[in-house]
Amino acid sequence: MTTLEQRAREEGTPVIDGETATFVWRGRKPVSVAGDFLDWSGEPIPLKEVAPGLWTHTLTLPRDSYVEYAFLDAKGRRVRDPLNERLTSNGFGDFNHYFHMPESRPTPLALRQRGVPRGTVTRHLVETHEFCVGSQRAVHLYAPPTSEPCPLVVVFDGPDYLRRSKLPSIVDNLVAQGRIRPIALAMVANGGPARTVEYTCSEATVVFLLDKVLPLARCELNLLDETREPGVHGVLGSSLGGLISLYTGLRAPHVFGRVLSQSGAFSVWNRDFVVFDLARNASSRPLDVWMDCGHFEALVEGNERMLPVLRSSGHRAEYREYHGGHNYSAWRDNVWRGLEWLFGTGKQGRREE
C-alpha cells in the first residue's frame, strides 16, 4: 500500500485527492503553512505530527483553485518545500510554491503560439515633469500586428504585466483567434516606493497619463482618435493598480471609457477610497467596467459593493470571482475574460481558458 509520504515523493506536494490538498513535511522540527487560502494574513497553520518526523495538514479547496503558499519555521522564516519544485516570484524578492487543483490550469493564451502574428514591444522613457516621482518613467509600448488604428489600453504596473503576466502574448492570441479587436498597450512602470501614493486616487497620476503617456502613444502607435470616438481607450491594473484604473476612468471618461480592474483595492485600511463617491455620481459619459477578484482575497468585499454602485449610476459593469488569490499568475489566467468583455468581437462564444 502506497503511503502518503511515498505519494508526496512521487507526485510532489501537496498531495491532491479531489477537493483536498495535503501538505507533507519530513523533518525533526515542524513547520507552518501560509498562503492564498489565508490571504497571507493572520497566523500560519501549523502542520501536525502524524508519525515520528512526519508532519501534515489537509485543506479542502474548490476543484478549480490555483494556490500559492510558503512553509515557515518557528521564527517565521521561509523554508523551501523540498517536495514541490514549482516556484513563482512573490513580487517581494522571494518565491512562493504553487499548485493547481484538478480542474485548474494556466491559460494557454499566455504562450506564444506557432503561426500567430506577433505585435512589437518597444521601451521608452518619458519626462515625468512634476506629476510622478523621478525625472523619467519607463513605458513599454505594444503595437499589434495590424495596419488599422486601434484603441489604447494603459497598463499600470506595466513591467509586471509584460513579464509576469505575458500580456502581449495574450493579446496576440486573442486577436489571432478573432476574440478581441486589435488593441495597443502602454505598459507604464510604477514609482517603486512611491507606488502607493501614485496609485491611491492621485490626480497627478491621471494628468501624467493624459499629458505625457498618451502623447507618446499617439506619436509611436496608430491609435483611434478619442475626440472622434469618446471613451475608446482603456485602463488596466491590479490591486492598487485596479483602484487607480477605476479612478482614471471616472476622472477622464471621455478618454478612458473602458476599465479593467483586477483585485481592485477600493476599500483598504478600514476605509473606502473616493472612487465610491465618484461612482455614485452620474457620469457625463458612462463607463464600461470589468472587475474580477480572487475568492480568497479580503478585497472581495469592496468589489462586491462597488458593482451595484456603478450600475445604479448608469455604468455598464460586470464582476467575476475566481478561485485564486492576490498574485500575477491568477491575474494572468483571468485577464482575457475582461479583455473579451471590453474589446470583444462578438465571435468568442463560451470559452474556459
Side-chain angles (χ1 to χ4, degrees):
M1 181 177 179
T2 303
T3 68
L4 180 64
E5 185 176 10
Q6 286 175 325
R7 285 190 61 191
R9 294 188 181 280
E10 292 172 3
E11 302 171 18
T13 51
V15 176
I16 297 174
D17 290 296
E19 296 180 349
T20 66
T22 300
F23 299 99
V24 179
W25 171 260
R26 167 63 72 178
R28 290 183 301 169
K29 297 181 179 180
V31 294
S32 298
V33 61
D36 289 331
F37 41 85
L38 296 174
D39 200 24
W40 297 95
S41 62
E43 289 296 318
I45 302 171
L47 274 64
K48 294 183 179 180
E49 192 170 23
V50 296
L54 184 66
W55 313 78
T56 69
H57 179 76
T58 299
L59 293 174
T60 299
L61 297 165
R63 293 176 64 91
D64 60 348
S65 298
Y66 167 79
V67 177
E68 297 186 7
Y69 72 95
F71 281 162
L72 307 173
D73 66 15
K75 295 184 179 181
R77 297 172 299 194
R78 284 175 175 252
V79 179
R80 291 289 175 93
D81 181 351
L83 300 178
N84 186 349
E85 297 179 352
R86 298 180 296 268
L87 293 169
T88 185
S89 171
N90 70 351
F92 299 99
D94 214 323
F95 291 87
N96 295 332
H97 293 281
Y98 70 88
F99 63 94
H100 291 268
M101 293 296 282
E103 295 176 12
S104 168
R105 63 175 183 140
T107 177
L109 292 169
L111 302 175
R112 290 179 178 174
Q113 305 291 340
R114 182 176 299 177
V116 169
R118 291 168 52 186
T120 58
V121 176
T122 55
R123 185 178 184 273
H124 307 263
L125 292 174
V126 294
E127 301 296 323
T128 57
H129 190 50
E130 58 185 353
F131 305 130
C132 301
V133 170
S135 60
Q136 293 182 319
R137 186 64 57 90
V139 179
H140 287 84
L141 297 179
Y142 161 87
T146 180
S147 59
E148 299 297 320
C150 57
L152 174 72
V153 178
V154 171
V155 183
F156 294 100
D157 296 312
D160 287 309
Y161 270 96
L162 171 64
R163 300 186 181 97
R164 300 173 67 185
S165 291
K166 311 299 182 185
L167 187 57
S169 292
I170 291 173
V171 172
D172 285 341
N173 289 323
L174 288 172
V175 171
Q177 294 174 23
R179 294 162 61 177
I180 65 170
R181 66 190 296 183
I183 58 174
L185 305 172
M187 295 169 280
V188 184
N190 64 50
R195 177 179 181 270
T196 297
V197 175
E198 293 181 354
Y199 284 8
T200 47
C201 303
S202 167
E203 198 70 9
T205 298
V206 177
V207 176
F208 173 64
L209 299 185
L210 295 173
D211 288 7
K212 298 296 181 179
V213 175
L214 195 55
L216 169 71
R218 287 196 194 105
C219 180
E220 299 290 335
L221 302 168
N222 187 12
L223 301 180
L224 291 169
D225 186 350
E226 70 277 2
T227 63
R228 296 184 178 182
E229 296 186 47
V232 71
H233 302 311
V235 278
L236 160 63
S238 54
S239 193
L240 289 178
L243 169 65
I244 191 63
S245 293
L246 181 56
Y247 180 81
T248 299
L250 290 167
R251 294 294 293 136
H254 287 82
V255 177
F256 301 110
R258 297 166 180 173
V259 176
L260 203 169
S261 170
Q262 298 195 276
S263 302
F266 308 135
S267 182
V268 294
W269 310 319
N270 297 315
R271 64 186 299 118
D272 289 348
F273 281 106
V274 71
V275 286
F276 277 97
D277 297 319
L278 293 173
R280 289 187 184 100
N281 297 318
S283 172
S284 56
R285 188 191 182 283
L287 300 173
D288 292 338
V289 182
W290 172 274
M291 302 176 293
D292 59 36
C293 194
H295 174 75
F296 303 125
E297 299 184 68
L299 296 174
V300 162
E301 187 269 343
N303 280 263
E304 290 177 337
R305 285 195 293 116
M306 179 59 75
L307 181 64
V309 173
L310 288 166
R311 286 179 171 175
S312 65
S313 298
H315 301 287
R316 175 176 171 258
E318 191 63 56
Y319 171 63
R320 179 181 181 274
E321 286 181 23
Y322 52 85
H323 292 130
H326 196 83
N327 54 70
Y328 272 98
S329 296
W331 297 327
R332 174 201 66 205
D333 291 342
N334 287 277
V335 70
W336 65 268
R337 300 178 189 272
L339 292 173
E340 279 194 348
W341 192 81
L342 291 167
F343 298 100
T345 61
K347 303 176 183 178
Q348 57 268 31
R350 176 177 172 79
R351 296 177 185 266
E352 296 295 335
E353 295 192 24

